[in-house]
Amino acid sequence: MPKKIIGLLVIAAMVAIVIIGAVQDNMAESEALDNMALGSDVDFLPTDEGLAKGEQAPDFQLTTLDGEAVRLSDYQGQKVMLNFWATWCPPCRAEMPHMQTYFEEQAEDENVVILAVNLTTEDRGLGKIEDFVEEFGLEFAIPMDEHGDVGSTYQAVSIPTSYMIDTQGRVQNKIVGPMDLAMMEQLVEDME
């Protein structure tokens, strides 16, 4: 009888350790952005692609994870937060909860569309992308850059990279690195 009790205690202790570890991981992930340097609004020169401040953002058409075709030009008249990311990117993981919160709480009222373009050619497969979207409960559009052309055009060399595009379809800001909620709010507010 005592061996069974000791065995049960050992199992209970192991379960408790796993639970505590999972809770700590979840807390650490949600606080990761607090300990990470936020992205920088970078100065950039005019390009052939049209990526400088005030230039017309290059149009593209991609298919979302849900199978819907989206064109950037379809959103003229709305502000667009164009984000480039991949599942393996720790700053992307830290940024996504903030982006989802912005989407849920402010995007509609502020006339903002979020297009979170997955750099599919740089990622680890469709299953990982679907798991990521489910894990973070992402509800905004996830266009899939399956050939790498859009990420290349938008010079998404370091990720996350985001562009703030105004209602006229003009680039207003390029942010390299993760954004938090306050930064997203300020960038949207500052858009013409």
Side-chain angles (χ1 to χ4, degrees):
M1 190 80 151
K3 288 182 181 182
K4 286 183 180 179
I5 292 173
I6 292 172
L8 289 173
L9 289 174
V10 168
I11 291 172
M14 289 173 38
V15 168
I17 290 170
V18 169
I19 291 171
I20 289 169
V23 168
Q24 287 176 334
D25 286 349
N26 193 19
M27 289 173 52
E29 196 169 279
S30 67
E31 294 174 3
L33 197 51
D34 293 339
N35 299 325
M36 189 178 299
L38 288 178
S40 300
D41 184 5
V42 296
D43 290 327
F44 42 100
L45 300 172
T47 63
D48 292 340
E49 292 86 4
L51 297 176
K53 184 176 179 78
E55 291 185 337
Q56 197 71 26
D59 198 14
F60 60 83
Q61 180 173 325
L62 293 173
T63 302
T64 67
L65 189 57
D66 296 333
E68 177 186 343
V70 295
R71 294 183 68 88
L72 179 61
S73 57
D74 291 342
Y75 301 102
Q76 193 142 347
Q78 295 176 284
K79 298 173 185 176
V80 177
M81 189 181 304
L82 178 62
N83 175 263
F84 294 91
W85 66 280
T87 61
W88 51 262
C89 160
C92 301
R93 293 183 64 80
E95 177 181 61
M96 282 298 175
H98 294 274
M99 200 168 290
Q100 180 60 33
T101 298
Y102 184 86
F103 177 78
E104 290 172 3
E105 296 177 0
Q106 299 177 54
E108 187 174 344
D109 292 340
E110 297 294 329
N111 192 30
V112 174
V113 171
I114 296 175
L115 296 177
V117 177
N118 175 265
L119 298 174
T120 314
T121 57
E122 306 297 323
D123 220 319
R124 298 179 175 162
L126 186 58
K128 294 282 188 192
I129 297 165
E130 291 170 337
D131 291 347
F132 184 96
V133 169
E134 183 178 334
E135 176 184 350
F136 289 102
L138 304 180
E139 299 171 356
F140 42 80
I142 309 288
M144 307 292 284
D145 189 8
E146 295 178 351
H147 302 289
D149 298 334
V150 178
S152 178
T153 297
Y154 277 85
Q155 302 173 3
V157 178
S158 176
I159 56 174
T161 292
S162 299
Y163 287 85
M164 304 305 283
I165 301 170
D166 69 17
T167 58
Q168 302 301 310
R170 297 173 303 198
V171 173
Q172 292 299 308
N173 299 89
K174 177 181 181 181
I175 299 87
V176 176
M179 297 182 290
D180 66 3
L181 184 59
M183 187 175 187
M184 291 175 198
E185 292 168 344
Q186 189 62 53
L187 288 164
V188 168
E189 183 180 319
D190 291 347
M191 269 201 269
E192 300 171 1

